[in-house]
Amino acid sequence: MNYKDQDEQIYCCLRNKVVKLNDVQREQFCQSCKMFAGTAKEQGAECVWEDMRNVSDPHVVHDPVREFILNQTRAITPDSFIALASFCS
């Protein structure tokens, strides 16, 4: 649940950035996004994806900048390292 902040911004996973949730965003990105699941009662955007982080379900976001920063950190597991090594060879 991505609620708009005071500047009407949300974190957009599709674009991996903080965006203003306006008509352009809704029409050009949300409308065709496979992760888009609703408008959070017109207060933001409901977005669904396989979040690898340990977050609540539903995960509620009120600070899009913080959510952006937290989404930039990835844990490296032995499986992902093996997959990366095989991709690079």
Side-chain angles (χ1 to χ4, degrees), residues 14 25-36:
L14 175 69
Q25 171 69 23
R26 285 185 197 94
E27 291 168 12
Q28 292 184 6
F29 298 98
C30 296
Q31 197 170 58
S32 61
C33 179
K34 293 178 183 178
M35 295 177 277
F36 183 69

Side-chain angles (χ1 to χ4, degrees), residues 32-51:
S32 61
C33 179
K34 293 178 183 178
M35 295 177 277
F36 183 69
T39 64
K41 297 180 182 177
E42 303 300 324
Q43 299 299 310
E46 297 172 49
C47 307
V48 179
W49 71 83
E50 187 67 34
D51 199 327

